[in-house]
Amino acid sequence: MTDHNTSSHDGDDAWEAFMSEHADDLQDVSRSHAARKFEKHAQKEEKRAILSVDDLDSGSFVQGGHGPRDFTGSSWLDTDDVMDRHGGGFRPPRPGLRQGTSTTRIVFGVLAIVGVAGIILAAFLPRLLAFGALFALVALVGAGGLLVTRSPNPHLPDHEDDSADNGARV
Protein backbone atom coordinates (compact mmCIF):
# COMPACT_ATOMS: atom_id res chain seq x y z
CA MET A 1 0.00 0.00 0.00
CA THR A 2 1.46 3.35 -1.01
CA ASP A 3 1.27 6.43 1.12
CA HIS A 4 -0.49 9.44 -0.42
CA ASN A 5 2.34 11.78 0.52
CA THR A 6 5.00 9.61 -1.12
CA SER A 7 3.01 9.27 -4.33
CA SER A 8 2.57 13.04 -4.59
CA HIS A 9 6.26 13.50 -3.74
CA ASP A 10 7.20 11.05 -6.51
CA GLY A 11 4.96 13.00 -8.89
CA ASP A 12 6.72 16.22 -7.95
CA ASP A 13 10.10 14.62 -8.56
CA ALA A 14 8.96 13.31 -11.94
CA TRP A 15 7.68 16.77 -12.89
CA GLU A 16 10.96 18.40 -11.85
CA ALA A 17 12.88 15.84 -13.90
CA PHE A 18 10.68 16.53 -16.93
CA MET A 19 11.15 20.30 -16.53
CA SER A 20 14.93 20.02 -16.32
CA GLU A 21 15.13 17.66 -19.33
CA HIS A 22 13.02 19.90 -21.55
CA ALA A 23 14.04 23.31 -20.23
CA ASP A 24 15.28 24.55 -23.61
CA ASP A 25 12.11 23.46 -25.41
CA LEU A 26 9.88 25.01 -22.75
CA GLN A 27 11.76 28.32 -22.97
CA ASP A 28 11.36 28.34 -26.74
CA VAL A 29 7.64 27.71 -26.36
CA SER A 30 7.25 30.43 -23.71
CA ARG A 31 9.06 32.95 -25.96
CA SER A 32 6.95 32.12 -29.02
CA HIS A 33 4.52 34.58 -30.59
CA ALA A 34 1.51 32.36 -29.81
CA ALA A 35 2.50 32.14 -26.12
CA ARG A 36 2.86 35.92 -25.79
CA LYS A 37 -0.45 36.43 -27.59
CA PHE A 38 -2.14 33.92 -25.29
CA GLU A 39 -0.65 35.54 -22.19
CA LYS A 40 -1.86 38.98 -23.28
CA HIS A 41 -5.34 37.60 -23.95
CA ALA A 42 -5.40 35.82 -20.57
CA GLN A 43 -4.43 39.04 -18.76
CA LYS A 44 -7.22 40.97 -20.53
CA GLU A 45 -9.77 38.31 -19.62
CA GLU A 46 -8.57 38.28 -16.03
CA LYS A 47 -9.09 42.04 -15.77
CA ARG A 48 -12.51 41.74 -17.36
CA ALA A 49 -13.67 38.93 -15.08
CA ILE A 50 -16.76 39.93 -13.12
CA LEU A 51 -16.47 37.42 -10.31
CA SER A 52 -13.34 36.04 -8.80
CA VAL A 53 -12.74 33.57 -6.02
CA ASP A 54 -11.67 36.43 -3.76
CA ASP A 55 -15.15 37.99 -4.10
CA LEU A 56 -16.81 34.95 -2.52
CA ASP A 57 -16.94 34.31 1.20
CA SER A 58 -15.97 30.98 2.69
CA GLY A 59 -19.66 30.10 3.19
CA SER A 60 -19.89 29.59 -0.56
CA PHE A 61 -17.60 26.60 -0.39
CA VAL A 62 -18.56 24.92 2.87
CA GLN A 63 -21.82 23.68 4.30
CA GLY A 64 -23.99 26.09 6.21
CA GLY A 65 -24.79 28.45 3.36
CA HIS A 66 -27.63 28.13 0.92
CA GLY A 67 -27.00 26.30 -2.31
CA PRO A 68 -28.72 26.64 -5.68
CA ARG A 69 -31.24 23.94 -4.84
CA ASP A 70 -32.08 25.04 -1.30
CA PHE A 71 -35.66 26.29 -1.12
CA THR A 72 -36.08 29.32 1.09
CA GLY A 73 -39.49 30.51 -0.12
CA SER A 74 -42.85 29.69 1.34
CA SER A 75 -44.81 26.49 1.05
CA TRP A 76 -48.12 26.20 -0.78
CA LEU A 77 -49.56 25.51 2.66
CA ASP A 78 -48.80 29.15 3.58
CA THR A 79 -51.36 30.50 1.12
CA ASP A 80 -53.08 32.71 3.69
CA ASP A 81 -49.81 34.35 4.72
CA VAL A 82 -48.77 34.95 1.10
CA MET A 83 -52.17 36.44 0.25
CA ASP A 84 -51.99 38.72 3.28
CA ARG A 85 -48.47 39.83 2.35
CA HIS A 86 -49.14 40.51 -1.34
CA GLY A 87 -52.68 41.77 -1.05
CA GLY A 88 -55.92 39.89 -1.40
CA GLY A 89 -58.02 40.48 -4.45
CA PHE A 90 -58.99 36.84 -4.62
CA ARG A 91 -62.58 36.20 -5.61
CA PRO A 92 -63.86 32.65 -5.56
CA PRO A 93 -65.38 31.26 -8.75
CA ARG A 94 -69.13 31.58 -9.13
CA PRO A 95 -70.23 28.41 -10.90
CA GLY A 96 -73.75 28.28 -9.48
CA LEU A 97 -76.89 29.12 -11.46
CA ARG A 98 -78.86 29.88 -8.29
CA GLN A 99 -79.59 33.43 -9.35
CA GLY A 100 -82.32 33.62 -11.91
CA THR A 101 -81.30 33.33 -15.56
CA SER A 102 -82.60 36.27 -17.55
CA THR A 103 -84.23 36.03 -20.96
CA THR A 104 -81.41 38.12 -22.44
CA ARG A 105 -78.79 35.59 -21.34
CA ILE A 106 -80.85 32.75 -22.77
CA VAL A 107 -81.12 34.55 -26.15
CA PHE A 108 -77.38 35.25 -26.25
CA GLY A 109 -76.66 31.62 -25.29
CA VAL A 110 -78.88 30.33 -28.10
CA LEU A 111 -77.18 32.71 -30.56
CA ALA A 112 -73.74 31.45 -29.51
CA ILE A 113 -74.78 27.80 -29.88
CA VAL A 114 -76.47 28.38 -33.26
CA GLY A 115 -73.43 30.29 -34.51
CA VAL A 116 -70.95 27.59 -33.52
CA ALA A 117 -73.19 24.83 -34.94
CA GLY A 118 -73.57 26.83 -38.17
CA ILE A 119 -69.81 27.23 -38.52
CA ILE A 120 -69.35 23.48 -38.10
CA LEU A 121 -72.10 22.72 -40.65
CA ALA A 122 -70.68 25.26 -43.11
CA ALA A 123 -67.33 23.54 -42.88
CA PHE A 124 -68.84 20.17 -43.86
CA LEU A 125 -71.61 21.19 -46.28
CA PRO A 126 -70.51 23.17 -49.35
CA ARG A 127 -74.00 24.65 -49.88
CA LEU A 128 -73.79 26.44 -46.51
CA LEU A 129 -70.28 27.78 -47.11
CA ALA A 130 -71.66 31.15 -48.19
CA PHE A 131 -73.32 31.51 -44.78
CA GLY A 132 -70.10 30.76 -42.84
CA ALA A 133 -69.37 34.45 -42.21
CA LEU A 134 -72.95 35.02 -41.04
CA PHE A 135 -72.69 32.10 -38.61
CA ALA A 136 -69.38 33.45 -37.31
CA LEU A 137 -70.97 36.85 -36.71
CA VAL A 138 -73.90 35.23 -34.87
CA ALA A 139 -71.45 33.24 -32.69
CA LEU A 140 -69.47 36.40 -31.85
CA VAL A 141 -72.61 38.36 -30.96
CA GLY A 142 -73.83 35.51 -28.76
CA ALA A 143 -70.51 35.04 -26.94
CA GLY A 144 -70.02 38.79 -26.53
CA GLY A 145 -73.53 39.18 -25.15
CA LEU A 146 -72.93 36.40 -22.64
CA LEU A 147 -69.78 38.12 -21.42
CA VAL A 148 -71.39 41.55 -21.17
CA THR A 149 -74.47 40.35 -19.30
CA ARG A 150 -72.46 38.36 -16.78
CA SER A 151 -73.23 39.70 -13.32
CA PRO A 152 -71.61 39.03 -9.97
CA ASN A 153 -73.30 36.54 -7.69
CA PRO A 154 -75.33 38.47 -5.08
CA HIS A 155 -75.07 35.55 -2.65
CA LEU A 156 -71.29 35.78 -2.33
CA PRO A 157 -69.68 38.67 -0.44
CA ASP A 158 -67.11 40.87 -2.13
CA HIS A 159 -63.66 40.74 -0.52
CA GLU A 160 -62.57 44.25 -1.39
CA ASP A 161 -61.57 44.97 2.20
CA ASP A 162 -59.99 42.81 4.89
CA SER A 163 -62.91 43.31 7.29
CA ALA A 164 -64.80 40.39 5.70
CA ASP A 165 -61.83 38.04 6.19
CA ASN A 166 -62.97 35.10 8.26
CA GLY A 167 -59.83 33.02 7.69
CA ALA A 168 -61.60 30.41 5.56
CA ARG A 169 -59.93 31.12 2.22
CA VAL A 170 -58.14 27.82 1.69
Side-chain angles (χ1 to χ4, degrees):
M1 187 169 164
T2 59
D3 186 18
H4 180 66
N5 291 336
T6 40
S7 65
S8 69
H9 183 66
D10 291 341
D12 289 341
D13 290 341
W15 180 251
E16 290 296 328
F18 175 81
M19 293 284 286
S20 63
E21 286 177 26
H22 300 286
D24 295 337
D25 296 333
L26 292 173
Q27 285 180 357
D28 290 343
V29 168
S30 66
R31 286 189 223 124
S32 70
H33 176 68
R36 287 187 303 220
K37 188 175 177 183
F38 177 79
E39 183 65 29
K40 185 186 273 187
H41 178 70
Q43 288 174 355
K44 279 184 185 178
E45 290 298 319
E46 189 175 328
K47 288 179 185 177
R48 198 181 321 162
I50 297 172
L51 181 68
S52 72
V53 175
D54 299 330
D55 296 337
L56 301 173
D57 62 346
S58 62
S60 301
F61 302 104
V62 295
Q63 288 184 347
H66 293 292
R69 294 185 181 161
D70 292 342
F71 181 71
T72 58
S74 62
S75 167
W76 66 272
L77 296 172
D78 299 331
T79 303
D80 290 337
D81 297 335
V82 172
M83 287 178 64
D84 290 340
R85 223 175 324 155
H86 299 291
F90 173 74
R91 292 178 184 233
R94 299 181 172 125
L97 295 175
R98 282 181 253 159
Q99 75 230 20
T101 305
S102 68
T103 309
T104 310
R105 287 188 57 82
I106 292 173
V107 169
F108 282 131
V110 168
L111 283 175
I113 291 171
V114 167
V116 170
I119 292 171
I120 293 171
L121 283 175
F124 289 115
L125 299 174
R127 284 182 281 153
L128 295 178
L129 194 57
F131 296 107
L134 178 67
F135 286 130
L137 182 64
V138 168
L140 283 174
V141 168
L146 285 174
L147 287 174
V148 169
T149 59
R150 183 177 156 261
S151 62
N153 190 341
H155 301 291
L156 295 174
D158 288 337
H159 288 290
E160 291 296 325
D161 58 351
D162 290 333
S163 64
D165 186 11
N166 61 2
R169 289 179 280 173
V170 179

